[in-house]
Amino acid sequence: MRYADKDRRRAETLRQKIGRRSIVMVGLMGCGKSAIGRRLATRLDLPFVDADDEIEQAAGKTISDIFLEHGEAYFREGERKVISRLLEGEAKVLATGGGAFMNEQTREKIAETGISVWLKADLPVLMRRVARRTHRPLLAKGDPEETMRKLMEERHPVYEQADITIKSCDIPHEVVVDDIVKRLLKTIS
Ligand code: S3P
């Protein structure tokens, strides 16, 4: 069997196993949830949705402006509602913002309706990736590396509850996608 055929077969088997559930990407800012989630969706021929984009659309403003004008608690409530709505719909690959999985109700909802994938990356990898962008309010003040270190301490024990953990380092996205597909095939019943 040619390699591409094998990939297609695997994708088809996985899609059947997933059924109506969604694959939910979780992990810290810069771990690649959107970039890898988008490629995973293409591989599985599923829609891709970015929760942060949906939150911005629902609010009619950027996440930075939501934080600035209404504060983090307001953002978190909007985030919870938007993700809950997105999980009600058809099967998809859903990239969530880094803080979303910290909400207990969101974790429960994901456990009921989806399969969670934690993209785990080391601090230097995360810092290299977030340095290229300036749109993240949590990293906009203070020392971003210190902030990220604290977030790792707080969040890693919670991200660990995801159904699968995948190492996200500086390897091609398609290789990470292969890894996710193989692990999901083994994990999902
Ligand atoms: C956040 C991560 C961001 C965004 C918001 C808060 C967080 O999403 O939701 O700035 O709490 O880690 P990304 O993880 O996609 O950058």
PDB file of all heavy atoms in Angstrom, residues 27-31 33-34 50 52 55 63-64 67 72 75-76 79 95-100 130 135-138 151 155 159, ligand 1:
ATOM      1  N   GLY A  27      -3.593  23.118  25.473  1.00  0.00           N
ATOM      2  CA  GLY A  27      -2.174  23.336  25.761  1.00  0.00           C
ATOM      3  C   GLY A  27      -1.868  24.820  25.811  1.00  0.00           C
ATOM      4  O   GLY A  27      -2.716  25.666  25.489  1.00  0.00           O
ATOM      5  N   LEU A  28      -0.647  25.122  26.218  1.00  0.00           N
ATOM      6  CA  LEU A  28      -0.257  26.522  26.425  1.00  0.00           C
ATOM      7  C   LEU A  28      -0.161  27.324  25.130  1.00  0.00           C
ATOM      8  O   LEU A  28      -0.038  26.752  24.049  1.00  0.00           O
ATOM      9  CB  LEU A  28       1.102  26.556  27.136  1.00  0.00           C
ATOM     10  CG  LEU A  28       1.033  26.326  28.644  1.00  0.00           C
ATOM     11  CD1 LEU A  28       2.417  26.041  29.195  1.00  0.00           C
ATOM     12  CD2 LEU A  28       0.433  27.536  29.357  1.00  0.00           C
ATOM     13  N   MET A  29      -0.191  28.628  25.304  1.00  0.00           N
ATOM     14  CA  MET A  29      -0.008  29.533  24.163  1.00  0.00           C
ATOM     15  C   MET A  29       1.289  29.162  23.439  1.00  0.00           C
ATOM     16  O   MET A  29       2.320  28.952  24.083  1.00  0.00           O
ATOM     17  CB  MET A  29       0.136  30.985  24.686  1.00  0.00           C
ATOM     18  CG  MET A  29      -1.104  31.497  25.360  1.00  0.00           C
ATOM     19  SD  MET A  29      -0.845  33.136  26.118  1.00  0.00           S
ATOM     20  CE  MET A  29      -0.208  32.685  27.736  1.00  0.00           C
ATOM     21  N   GLY A  30       1.212  29.059  22.134  1.00  0.00           N
ATOM     22  CA  GLY A  30       2.415  28.773  21.351  1.00  0.00           C
ATOM     23  C   GLY A  30       2.707  27.295  21.147  1.00  0.00           C
ATOM     24  O   GLY A  30       3.673  26.942  20.479  1.00  0.00           O
ATOM     25  N   CYS A  31       1.866  26.412  21.693  1.00  0.00           N
ATOM     26  CA  CYS A  31       2.175  24.974  21.559  1.00  0.00           C
ATOM     27  C   CYS A  31       1.758  24.435  20.184  1.00  0.00           C
ATOM     28  O   CYS A  31       2.095  23.314  19.842  1.00  0.00           O
ATOM     29  CB  CYS A  31       1.546  24.157  22.690  1.00  0.00           C
ATOM     30  SG  CYS A  31      -0.236  23.981  22.526  1.00  0.00           S
ATOM     31  N   LYS A  33      -1.636  24.609  18.841  1.00  0.00           N
ATOM     32  CA  LYS A  33      -3.020  24.078  18.782  1.00  0.00           C
ATOM     33  C   LYS A  33      -3.707  24.412  17.459  1.00  0.00           C
ATOM     34  O   LYS A  33      -4.355  23.555  16.867  1.00  0.00           O
ATOM     35  CB  LYS A  33      -3.858  24.629  19.949  1.00  0.00           C
ATOM     36  CG  LYS A  33      -3.334  24.251  21.319  1.00  0.00           C
ATOM     37  CD  LYS A  33      -4.141  24.913  22.405  1.00  0.00           C
ATOM     38  CE  LYS A  33      -4.078  26.411  22.401  1.00  0.00           C
ATOM     39  NZ  LYS A  33      -3.068  27.081  23.185  1.00  0.00           N
ATOM     40  N   SER A  34      -3.554  25.668  17.014  1.00  0.00           N
ATOM     41  CA  SER A  34      -4.251  26.062  15.779  1.00  0.00           C
ATOM     42  C   SER A  34      -3.546  25.503  14.548  1.00  0.00           C
ATOM     43  O   SER A  34      -4.190  24.907  13.675  1.00  0.00           O
ATOM     44  CB  SER A  34      -4.340  27.582  15.666  1.00  0.00           C
ATOM     45  OG  SER A  34      -5.028  28.085  16.778  1.00  0.00           O
ATOM     46  N   ASP A  50     -11.470  27.524  15.388  1.00  0.00           N
ATOM     47  CA  ASP A  50     -10.601  28.087  16.420  1.00  0.00           C
ATOM     48  C   ASP A  50     -11.486  28.833  17.420  1.00  0.00           C
ATOM     49  O   ASP A  50     -12.164  29.795  17.046  1.00  0.00           O
ATOM     50  CB  ASP A  50      -9.601  29.042  15.743  1.00  0.00           C
ATOM     51  CG  ASP A  50      -8.533  29.503  16.698  1.00  0.00           C
ATOM     52  OD1 ASP A  50      -8.898  30.045  17.761  1.00  0.00           O
ATOM     53  OD2 ASP A  50      -7.344  29.317  16.404  1.00  0.00           O
ATOM     54  N   ASP A  52     -10.831  30.845  19.843  1.00  0.00           N
ATOM     55  CA  ASP A  52     -10.503  32.269  20.034  1.00  0.00           C
ATOM     56  C   ASP A  52     -11.120  33.135  18.930  1.00  0.00           C
ATOM     57  O   ASP A  52     -11.633  34.219  19.207  1.00  0.00           O
ATOM     58  CB  ASP A  52      -8.978  32.474  20.067  1.00  0.00           C
ATOM     59  CG  ASP A  52      -8.364  32.079  21.405  1.00  0.00           C
ATOM     60  OD1 ASP A  52      -9.117  31.869  22.377  1.00  0.00           O
ATOM     61  OD2 ASP A  52      -7.125  31.988  21.481  1.00  0.00           O
ATOM     62  N   ILE A  55     -14.775  33.487  19.644  1.00  0.00           N
ATOM     63  CA  ILE A  55     -15.021  34.417  20.762  1.00  0.00           C
ATOM     64  C   ILE A  55     -14.938  35.855  20.241  1.00  0.00           C
ATOM     65  O   ILE A  55     -15.779  36.694  20.559  1.00  0.00           O
ATOM     66  CB  ILE A  55     -13.986  34.194  21.906  1.00  0.00           C
ATOM     67  CG1 ILE A  55     -14.174  32.807  22.532  1.00  0.00           C
ATOM     68  CG2 ILE A  55     -14.081  35.292  22.966  1.00  0.00           C
ATOM     69  CD1 ILE A  55     -13.000  32.335  23.383  1.00  0.00           C
ATOM     70  N   ILE A  63      -9.518  39.712  21.324  1.00  0.00           N
ATOM     71  CA  ILE A  63      -9.333  39.211  22.691  1.00  0.00           C
ATOM     72  C   ILE A  63      -8.606  40.243  23.542  1.00  0.00           C
ATOM     73  O   ILE A  63      -8.967  40.472  24.708  1.00  0.00           O
ATOM     74  CB  ILE A  63      -8.600  37.852  22.664  1.00  0.00           C
ATOM     75  CG1 ILE A  63      -9.562  36.805  22.109  1.00  0.00           C
ATOM     76  CG2 ILE A  63      -8.097  37.449  24.054  1.00  0.00           C
ATOM     77  CD1 ILE A  63      -9.014  35.436  21.918  1.00  0.00           C
ATOM     78  N   SER A  64      -7.628  40.925  22.966  1.00  0.00           N
ATOM     79  CA  SER A  64      -6.922  41.977  23.721  1.00  0.00           C
ATOM     80  C   SER A  64      -7.899  43.041  24.191  1.00  0.00           C
ATOM     81  O   SER A  64      -7.853  43.475  25.347  1.00  0.00           O
ATOM     82  CB  SER A  64      -5.856  42.636  22.845  1.00  0.00           C
ATOM     83  OG  SER A  64      -4.867  41.719  22.535  1.00  0.00           O
ATOM     84  N   PHE A  67     -10.119  41.740  27.069  1.00  0.00           N
ATOM     85  CA  PHE A  67      -9.375  41.780  28.342  1.00  0.00           C
ATOM     86  C   PHE A  67      -9.292  43.226  28.863  1.00  0.00           C
ATOM     87  O   PHE A  67      -9.516  43.480  30.039  1.00  0.00           O
ATOM     88  CB  PHE A  67      -7.945  41.242  28.150  1.00  0.00           C
ATOM     89  CG  PHE A  67      -7.775  39.778  28.449  1.00  0.00           C
ATOM     90  CD1 PHE A  67      -8.307  38.812  27.602  1.00  0.00           C
ATOM     91  CD2 PHE A  67      -7.068  39.346  29.566  1.00  0.00           C
ATOM     92  CE1 PHE A  67      -8.136  37.457  27.851  1.00  0.00           C
ATOM     93  CE2 PHE A  67      -6.902  37.994  29.832  1.00  0.00           C
ATOM     94  CZ  PHE A  67      -7.423  37.047  28.973  1.00  0.00           C
ATOM     95  N   GLU A  72     -10.418  39.812  32.596  1.00  0.00           N
ATOM     96  CA  GLU A  72     -10.227  38.395  32.267  1.00  0.00           C
ATOM     97  C   GLU A  72     -11.450  37.538  32.626  1.00  0.00           C
ATOM     98  O   GLU A  72     -11.820  36.629  31.877  1.00  0.00           O
ATOM     99  CB  GLU A  72      -8.972  37.840  32.962  1.00  0.00           C
ATOM    100  CG  GLU A  72      -8.749  36.375  32.604  1.00  0.00           C
ATOM    101  CD  GLU A  72      -7.411  35.818  33.046  1.00  0.00           C
ATOM    102  OE1 GLU A  72      -6.536  36.590  33.494  1.00  0.00           O
ATOM    103  OE2 GLU A  72      -7.255  34.576  32.942  1.00  0.00           O
ATOM    104  N   PHE A  75     -13.933  37.553  29.954  1.00  0.00           N
ATOM    105  CA  PHE A  75     -13.443  36.761  28.816  1.00  0.00           C
ATOM    106  C   PHE A  75     -13.651  35.271  29.078  1.00  0.00           C
ATOM    107  O   PHE A  75     -14.110  34.516  28.215  1.00  0.00           O
ATOM    108  CB  PHE A  75     -11.957  37.057  28.565  1.00  0.00           C
ATOM    109  CG  PHE A  75     -11.316  36.064  27.622  1.00  0.00           C
ATOM    110  CD1 PHE A  75     -11.552  36.135  26.254  1.00  0.00           C
ATOM    111  CD2 PHE A  75     -10.501  35.046  28.101  1.00  0.00           C
ATOM    112  CE1 PHE A  75     -10.987  35.208  25.383  1.00  0.00           C
ATOM    113  CE2 PHE A  75      -9.936  34.108  27.235  1.00  0.00           C
ATOM    114  CZ  PHE A  75     -10.184  34.196  25.873  1.00  0.00           C
ATOM    115  N   ARG A  76     -13.308  34.836  30.295  1.00  0.00           N
ATOM    116  CA  ARG A  76     -13.402  33.397  30.621  1.00  0.00           C
ATOM    117  C   ARG A  76     -14.843  32.889  30.523  1.00  0.00           C
ATOM    118  O   ARG A  76     -15.080  31.766  30.103  1.00  0.00           O
ATOM    119  CB  ARG A  76     -12.847  33.117  32.029  1.00  0.00           C
ATOM    120  CG  ARG A  76     -11.376  33.393  32.187  1.00  0.00           C
ATOM    121  CD  ARG A  76     -10.527  32.505  31.302  1.00  0.00           C
ATOM    122  NE  ARG A  76      -9.115  32.896  31.344  1.00  0.00           N
ATOM    123  CZ  ARG A  76      -8.232  32.545  30.426  1.00  0.00           C
ATOM    124  NH1 ARG A  76      -8.585  31.805  29.386  1.00  0.00           N
ATOM    125  NH2 ARG A  76      -6.989  32.940  30.526  1.00  0.00           N
ATOM    126  N   GLU A  79     -15.664  32.600  26.941  1.00  0.00           N
ATOM    127  CA  GLU A  79     -14.915  31.452  26.406  1.00  0.00           C
ATOM    128  C   GLU A  79     -15.644  30.147  26.730  1.00  0.00           C
ATOM    129  O   GLU A  79     -15.837  29.285  25.874  1.00  0.00           O
ATOM    130  CB  GLU A  79     -13.514  31.469  27.041  1.00  0.00           C
ATOM    131  CG  GLU A  79     -12.618  30.317  26.642  1.00  0.00           C
ATOM    132  CD  GLU A  79     -11.214  30.464  27.233  1.00  0.00           C
ATOM    133  OE1 GLU A  79     -11.084  30.624  28.479  1.00  0.00           O
ATOM    134  OE2 GLU A  79     -10.247  30.404  26.464  1.00  0.00           O
ATOM    135  N   ALA A  95      -9.641  24.029  18.178  1.00  0.00           N
ATOM    136  CA  ALA A  95      -8.486  24.550  18.924  1.00  0.00           C
ATOM    137  C   ALA A  95      -9.014  25.490  19.993  1.00  0.00           C
ATOM    138  O   ALA A  95      -9.800  26.392  19.696  1.00  0.00           O
ATOM    139  CB  ALA A  95      -7.550  25.297  17.980  1.00  0.00           C
ATOM    140  N   THR A  96      -8.631  25.246  21.251  1.00  0.00           N
ATOM    141  CA  THR A  96      -9.095  26.114  22.339  1.00  0.00           C
ATOM    142  C   THR A  96      -7.953  27.030  22.776  1.00  0.00           C
ATOM    143  O   THR A  96      -6.781  26.702  22.573  1.00  0.00           O
ATOM    144  CB  THR A  96      -9.548  25.273  23.555  1.00  0.00           C
ATOM    145  OG1 THR A  96      -8.444  24.497  24.033  1.00  0.00           O
ATOM    146  CG2 THR A  96     -10.696  24.353  23.187  1.00  0.00           C
ATOM    147  N   GLY A  97      -8.290  28.150  23.400  1.00  0.00           N
ATOM    148  CA  GLY A  97      -7.265  29.030  23.970  1.00  0.00           C
ATOM    149  C   GLY A  97      -6.623  28.322  25.167  1.00  0.00           C
ATOM    150  O   GLY A  97      -7.235  27.444  25.784  1.00  0.00           O
ATOM    151  N   GLY A  98      -5.400  28.742  25.486  1.00  0.00           N
ATOM    152  CA  GLY A  98      -4.622  28.057  26.516  1.00  0.00           C
ATOM    153  C   GLY A  98      -5.288  27.927  27.880  1.00  0.00           C
ATOM    154  O   GLY A  98      -5.005  26.999  28.627  1.00  0.00           O
ATOM    155  N   GLY A  99      -6.198  28.870  28.226  1.00  0.00           N
ATOM    156  CA  GLY A  99      -6.799  28.826  29.557  1.00  0.00           C
ATOM    157  C   GLY A  99      -8.101  28.042  29.614  1.00  0.00           C
ATOM    158  O   GLY A  99      -8.619  27.749  30.700  1.00  0.00           O
ATOM    159  N   ALA A 100      -8.628  27.670  28.448  1.00  0.00           N
ATOM    160  CA  ALA A 100      -9.982  27.096  28.399  1.00  0.00           C
ATOM    161  C   ALA A 100     -10.113  25.797  29.203  1.00  0.00           C
ATOM    162  O   ALA A 100     -11.101  25.589  29.920  1.00  0.00           O
ATOM    163  CB  ALA A 100     -10.384  26.846  26.944  1.00  0.00           C
ATOM    164  N   VAL A 130       5.849  32.219  20.746  1.00  0.00           N
ATOM    165  CA  VAL A 130       5.017  33.384  21.109  1.00  0.00           C
ATOM    166  C   VAL A 130       5.732  34.701  20.839  1.00  0.00           C
ATOM    167  O   VAL A 130       5.083  35.736  20.686  1.00  0.00           O
ATOM    168  CB  VAL A 130       4.499  33.334  22.573  1.00  0.00           C
ATOM    169  CG1 VAL A 130       3.595  32.154  22.802  1.00  0.00           C
ATOM    170  CG2 VAL A 130       5.643  33.374  23.578  1.00  0.00           C
ATOM    171  N   HIS A 135      -0.287  39.461  20.109  1.00  0.00           N
ATOM    172  CA  HIS A 135      -1.712  39.646  20.377  1.00  0.00           C
ATOM    173  C   HIS A 135      -2.187  38.992  21.681  1.00  0.00           C
ATOM    174  O   HIS A 135      -3.368  38.927  21.928  1.00  0.00           O
ATOM    175  CB  HIS A 135      -2.521  39.081  19.205  1.00  0.00           C
ATOM    176  CG  HIS A 135      -2.374  37.587  19.078  1.00  0.00           C
ATOM    177  ND1 HIS A 135      -1.254  37.017  18.532  1.00  0.00           N
ATOM    178  CD2 HIS A 135      -3.175  36.576  19.468  1.00  0.00           C
ATOM    179  CE1 HIS A 135      -1.394  35.700  18.581  1.00  0.00           C
ATOM    180  NE2 HIS A 135      -2.548  35.412  19.143  1.00  0.00           N
ATOM    181  N   ARG A 136      -1.277  38.496  22.518  1.00  0.00           N
ATOM    182  CA  ARG A 136      -1.720  37.745  23.699  1.00  0.00           C
ATOM    183  C   ARG A 136      -1.656  38.611  24.961  1.00  0.00           C
ATOM    184  O   ARG A 136      -0.565  38.891  25.467  1.00  0.00           O
ATOM    185  CB  ARG A 136      -0.874  36.495  23.864  1.00  0.00           C
ATOM    186  CG  ARG A 136      -1.088  35.485  22.733  1.00  0.00           C
ATOM    187  CD  ARG A 136      -0.246  34.254  22.948  1.00  0.00           C
ATOM    188  NE  ARG A 136      -0.604  33.195  22.044  1.00  0.00           N
ATOM    189  CZ  ARG A 136       0.078  32.886  20.931  1.00  0.00           C
ATOM    190  NH1 ARG A 136       1.128  33.593  20.583  1.00  0.00           N
ATOM    191  NH2 ARG A 136      -0.307  31.875  20.183  1.00  0.00           N
ATOM    192  N   PRO A 137      -2.822  38.982  25.502  1.00  0.00           N
ATOM    193  CA  PRO A 137      -2.831  39.917  26.636  1.00  0.00           C
ATOM    194  C   PRO A 137      -2.070  39.398  27.859  1.00  0.00           C
ATOM    195  O   PRO A 137      -1.449  40.185  28.573  1.00  0.00           O
ATOM    196  CB  PRO A 137      -4.325  40.098  26.949  1.00  0.00           C
ATOM    197  CG  PRO A 137      -5.055  39.038  26.208  1.00  0.00           C
ATOM    198  CD  PRO A 137      -4.197  38.646  25.070  1.00  0.00           C
ATOM    199  N   LEU A 138      -2.076  38.075  28.091  1.00  0.00           N
ATOM    200  CA  LEU A 138      -1.406  37.564  29.290  1.00  0.00           C
ATOM    201  C   LEU A 138       0.110  37.757  29.228  1.00  0.00           C
ATOM    202  O   LEU A 138       0.784  37.769  30.250  1.00  0.00           O
ATOM    203  CB  LEU A 138      -1.703  36.071  29.491  1.00  0.00           C
ATOM    204  CG  LEU A 138      -3.137  35.677  29.861  1.00  0.00           C
ATOM    205  CD1 LEU A 138      -3.222  34.185  30.135  1.00  0.00           C
ATOM    206  CD2 LEU A 138      -3.637  36.451  31.071  1.00  0.00           C
ATOM    207  N   LEU A 151       2.558  29.766  34.321  1.00  0.00           N
ATOM    208  CA  LEU A 151       1.405  29.099  33.689  1.00  0.00           C
ATOM    209  C   LEU A 151       1.688  27.604  33.522  1.00  0.00           C
ATOM    210  O   LEU A 151       0.797  26.769  33.699  1.00  0.00           O
ATOM    211  CB  LEU A 151       1.083  29.744  32.331  1.00  0.00           C
ATOM    212  CG  LEU A 151       0.475  31.149  32.374  1.00  0.00           C
ATOM    213  CD1 LEU A 151       0.363  31.736  30.972  1.00  0.00           C
ATOM    214  CD2 LEU A 151      -0.903  31.137  33.040  1.00  0.00           C
ATOM    215  N   ARG A 155      -0.776  24.971  35.067  1.00  0.00           N
ATOM    216  CA  ARG A 155      -1.649  24.305  34.091  1.00  0.00           C
ATOM    217  C   ARG A 155      -1.243  22.887  33.729  1.00  0.00           C
ATOM    218  O   ARG A 155      -2.120  22.071  33.393  1.00  0.00           O
ATOM    219  CB  ARG A 155      -1.745  25.158  32.823  1.00  0.00           C
ATOM    220  CG  ARG A 155      -2.455  26.474  33.081  1.00  0.00           C
ATOM    221  CD  ARG A 155      -2.540  27.286  31.809  1.00  0.00           C
ATOM    222  NE  ARG A 155      -3.279  28.529  32.010  1.00  0.00           N
ATOM    223  CZ  ARG A 155      -3.485  29.424  31.067  1.00  0.00           C
ATOM    224  NH1 ARG A 155      -3.003  29.214  29.849  1.00  0.00           N
ATOM    225  NH2 ARG A 155      -4.178  30.526  31.325  1.00  0.00           N
ATOM    226  N   TYR A 159      -3.704  19.991  32.377  1.00  0.00           N
ATOM    227  CA  TYR A 159      -3.627  19.503  30.990  1.00  0.00           C
ATOM    228  C   TYR A 159      -3.395  17.981  30.967  1.00  0.00           C
ATOM    229  O   TYR A 159      -3.788  17.307  30.021  1.00  0.00           O
ATOM    230  CB  TYR A 159      -2.486  20.164  30.226  1.00  0.00           C
ATOM    231  CG  TYR A 159      -2.619  21.646  29.942  1.00  0.00           C
ATOM    232  CD1 TYR A 159      -1.477  22.445  29.849  1.00  0.00           C
ATOM    233  CD2 TYR A 159      -3.846  22.257  29.717  1.00  0.00           C
ATOM    234  CE1 TYR A 159      -1.548  23.795  29.553  1.00  0.00           C
ATOM    235  CE2 TYR A 159      -3.932  23.613  29.426  1.00  0.00           C
ATOM    236  CZ  TYR A 159      -2.784  24.374  29.343  1.00  0.00           C
ATOM    237  OH  TYR A 159      -2.858  25.714  29.046  1.00  0.00           O
TER     238      TYR A 159
HETATM  239  C1  S3P B   1      -4.908  32.447  26.739  1.00  0.00           C
HETATM  240  C2  S3P B   1      -4.524  31.958  25.513  1.00  0.00           C
HETATM  241  C3  S3P B   1      -4.898  32.570  24.241  1.00  0.00           C
HETATM  242  C4  S3P B   1      -6.206  33.364  24.400  1.00  0.00           C
HETATM  243  C5  S3P B   1      -6.109  34.319  25.539  1.00  0.00           C
HETATM  244  C6  S3P B   1      -5.790  33.650  26.877  1.00  0.00           C
HETATM  245  C7  S3P B   1      -4.466  31.748  27.973  1.00  0.00           C
HETATM  246  O1  S3P B   1      -5.075  31.574  23.244  1.00  0.00           O
HETATM  247  O2  S3P B   1      -7.300  32.495  24.607  1.00  0.00           O
HETATM  248  O3  S3P B   1      -5.117  35.260  25.202  1.00  0.00           O
HETATM  249  O4  S3P B   1      -5.060  31.958  29.029  1.00  0.00           O
HETATM  250  O5  S3P B   1      -3.512  30.936  27.887  1.00  0.00           O
HETATM  251  P1  S3P B   1      -3.836  30.741  22.598  1.00  0.00           P
HETATM  252  O6  S3P B   1      -3.483  29.653  23.548  1.00  0.00           O
HETATM  253  O7  S3P B   1      -4.404  30.226  21.324  1.00  0.00           O
HETATM  254  O8  S3P B   1      -2.726  31.705  22.380  1.00  0.00           O
END
